[in-house]
């Protein structure tokens, strides 16, 4: 296993982690993001995720693709939340009136990076200091996101954080999978299975309504393998009017909690997480997708698995806790295992 470091432009670096199976995971300190995950299929390298070729392109076209998201993944309604009875107002997007992905968030920064080699894995540890008052969030928050690649073809994301004041922290990674390797192909023919018994209903602004809906009998039932084309055909029945998925799913503890299979069935992603939910966003960009690696991104050209506490928890505290305190350690992990058919 090895790590190769390259210039990624804009003072950013690209780290290419290689394992003994010919798998390559490329990550950048710009946004502590994942840029590429290539596996060998029939002796040829196949890309499995969306990404751009330089730091510049991310900043110009879409800084969320593959990035670390923080301090809070998803939307905070009206940018308001409270901790121990004290109310906070964080920055809001003037167009929507809500905070999305922390506002001017972790995806925009160049993080510190340290390479690490161990017997069973190669890793890059990214760290960032978010100051008290950053986008209105309280507390000096020190965060670390470690990406590792193992010889079992596991891409492991480990999160840790400490704070000097009670604050909220709900990070995720915004990877989009497209297992065809071609961003101009939609994910229609991918198959998804999720051990999720309920989803969070959202309104037209993608704000949780407070209803947790049982998936059984709805278009959102992925408890058995289902083609994404079937979801897209059935999604009109859901109240929000969103053309695809942009919803949190509540996971059970049966692992792997999600399985995504390529149209040719040669590549499978198995997701296992400590988090209670996953936000699945099907890149519902219509004609508005960017040009990526020489191709225009198709509508539904990717699918995210944003593991996190469900957004909405700031209004519905019974959904979990995102508060971290000075005397508490914050640790969590998500694993995406790539299984390639021999
Ligand atoms: C997230 O839920 C959101 C989407 O609505 C947003 O467009 C995307 O990030 C960039 O998954």
């Amino acid at each position: 296993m090895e790590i190769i470091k390259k210039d990624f432009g804009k003072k950013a670096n690209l780290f290419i982690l290689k394992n003994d199976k010919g798998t390559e995971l490329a990550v950048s300190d710009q946004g502590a993001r994942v840029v590429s995950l290539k596996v060998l299929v029939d002796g040829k390298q196949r890309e499995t995720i969306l990404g751009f070729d330089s730091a510049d392109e991310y900043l110009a076209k879409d800084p969320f693709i593959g990035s670390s998201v923080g301090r809070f993944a998803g939307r905070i309604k009206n940018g308001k939340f409270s901790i121990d009875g004290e109310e906070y107002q964080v920055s809001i997007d003037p167009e929507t009136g809500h905070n999305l992905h922390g506002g001017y968030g972790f995806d925009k920064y160049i993080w510190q990076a340290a390479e690490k080699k161990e017997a069973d894995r190669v890793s890059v540890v990214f760290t960032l200091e978010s100051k008290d008052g950053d986008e209105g969030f309280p507390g000096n928050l020190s965060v670390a996101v470690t990406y590792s690649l193992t010889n079992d073809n596991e891409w492991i994301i480990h999160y840790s954080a400490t704070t000097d004041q009670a604050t909220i922290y709900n990070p995720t990674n915004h990877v989009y999978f497209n297992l065809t390797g071609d961003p101009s192909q939609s994910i229609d023919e991918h198959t998804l299975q999720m051990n999720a018994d309920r989803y969070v209903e959202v309104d037209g602004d993608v704000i949780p309504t407070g209803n947790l809906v049982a998936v059984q009998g709805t278009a959102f039932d992925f408890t058995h393998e289902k083609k994404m084309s079937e979801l897209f055909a059935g999604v009109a029945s859901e109240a929000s009017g969103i053309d695809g998925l942009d919803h949190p799913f509540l996971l059970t503890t049966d692992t792997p909690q999600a399985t995504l299979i390529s149209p040719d069935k040669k590549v499978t992603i198995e997701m296992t997480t400590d988090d209670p939910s996953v936000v699945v966003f099907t890149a519902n960009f219509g004609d508005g997708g960017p040009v990526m690696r020489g191709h225009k991104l198709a509508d539904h050209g990717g699918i995210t698995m944003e593991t996190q506490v469900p957004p909405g928890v700031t209004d519905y505290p019974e959904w979990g806790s995102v508060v971290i305190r000075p005397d508490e350690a914050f640790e969590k992990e998500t694993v995406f295992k790539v299984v390639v058919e021999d």
Side-chain angles (χ1 to χ4, degrees):
M1 287 187 280
E2 59 173 332
I3 304 178
I4 294 165
K5 188 175 171 184
K6 289 188 175 168
D7 183 9
F8 203 44
K10 287 257 179 210
K11 297 192 177 144
N13 296 293
L14 188 70
F15 300 85
I16 303 168
L17 285 62
K18 297 188 180 190
N19 73 6
D20 300 338
K21 287 203 167 132
T23 301
E24 292 187 12
L25 174 72
V27 299
S28 174
D29 46 9
Q30 197 296 310
R33 71 180 67 247
V34 61
V35 170
S36 165
L37 176 56
K38 289 181 190 155
V39 287
L40 281 183
V41 180
D42 298 333
K44 283 205 297 208
Q45 276 199 327
R46 186 191 295 188
E47 183 60 80
T48 63
I49 67 173
L50 302 187
F52 294 114
D53 298 323
S54 66
D56 234 355
E57 266 193 278
Y58 280 99
L59 294 168
K61 294 181 176 176
D62 189 334
F64 294 132
I65 294 180
S67 73
S68 288
V69 180
R71 293 191 186 190
F72 191 97
R75 291 169 180 79
I76 300 176
K77 187 178 177 183
N78 303 322
K80 287 188 200 305
F81 62 90
S82 58
I83 306 171
D84 302 333
E86 186 155 346
E87 290 196 2
Y88 294 93
Q89 172 73 58
V90 293
S91 68
I92 52 166
D93 175 340
E95 272 179 31
T96 64
H98 308 297
N99 179 280
L100 174 64
H101 296 330
Y104 190 92
F106 293 178
D107 54 290
K108 312 289 189 310
Y109 290 94
I110 295 199
W111 296 45
Q112 294 296 314
E115 298 177 23
K116 204 164 139 188
K117 290 182 188 148
E118 291 162 282
D120 67 332
R121 64 185 67 186
V122 277
S123 311
V124 180
V125 183
F126 292 113
T127 52
L128 186 74
E129 303 294 325
S130 171
K131 294 273 172 255
D132 182 23
D134 185 6
E135 293 295 283
F137 290 94
N140 289 296
L141 183 71
S142 306
V143 302
V145 175
T146 303
Y147 294 125
S148 304
L149 178 68
T150 70
N151 270 332
D152 284 336
N153 269 359
E154 291 161 320
W155 163 33
I156 303 172
I157 311 172
H158 184 90
Y159 301 85
S160 62
T162 55
T163 180
D164 62 358
Q165 240 185 83
T167 190
I168 60 172
Y169 186 42
N170 193 16
T172 194
N173 178 279
H174 210 297
V175 61
Y176 290 85
F177 291 98
N178 181 327
L179 305 180
T180 67
D182 175 2
S184 67
Q185 284 189 43
S186 81
I187 49 131
D188 276 26
E189 296 304 308
H190 285 54
T191 304
L192 179 65
Q193 190 274 330
M194 286 195 286
N195 293 327
D197 49 9
R198 288 168 299 164
Y199 73 94
V200 176
E201 184 184 68
V202 296
D203 67 15
D205 286 342
V206 203
I207 298 291
T209 62
N211 290 335
L212 302 180
V213 184
V215 296
Q216 210 184 8
T218 75
F220 290 17
D221 188 353
F222 287 95
T223 50
H224 300 286
E225 287 183 2
K226 184 152 103 183
K227 279 259 181 80
M228 292 308 292
S229 53
E230 209 184 307
L231 174 276
F232 294 130
V235 85
S237 61
E238 211 269 341
S240 67
I242 296 168
D243 173 31
L245 290 179
D246 195 353
H247 297 75
F249 284 81
L250 301 186
L251 299 168
T252 71
T253 50
D254 296 329
T255 59
Q257 281 120 325
T259 304
L260 181 70
I261 307 171
S262 64
D264 63 4
K265 312 273 182 230
K266 293 193 172 178
V267 182
T268 300
I269 303 290
E270 294 176 350
M271 181 202 86
T272 301
T273 184
D274 298 340
D275 268 317
S277 78
V278 62
V279 173
V280 183
F281 175 57
T282 47
N284 314 318
F285 297 134
D287 292 337
V291 172
M292 172 177 288
R293 299 173 180 144
H295 299 273
K296 171 129 175 102
L297 179 67
D299 185 27
H300 303 149
I303 177 168
T304 70
M305 293 189 192
E306 301 161 64
T307 53
Q308 59 175 110
V309 178
V313 65
T314 39
D315 292 312
Y316 307 100
E318 63 277 15
W319 292 359
S321 176
V322 287
V323 175
I324 73 165
R325 299 176 189 278
D327 49 357
E328 285 171 9
F330 177 95
E331 305 271 346
K332 67 170 192 171
E333 200 162 276
T334 293
V335 180
F336 293 107
K337 181 172 171 145
V338 192
V339 181
V340 182
E341 190 199 65
D342 289 326

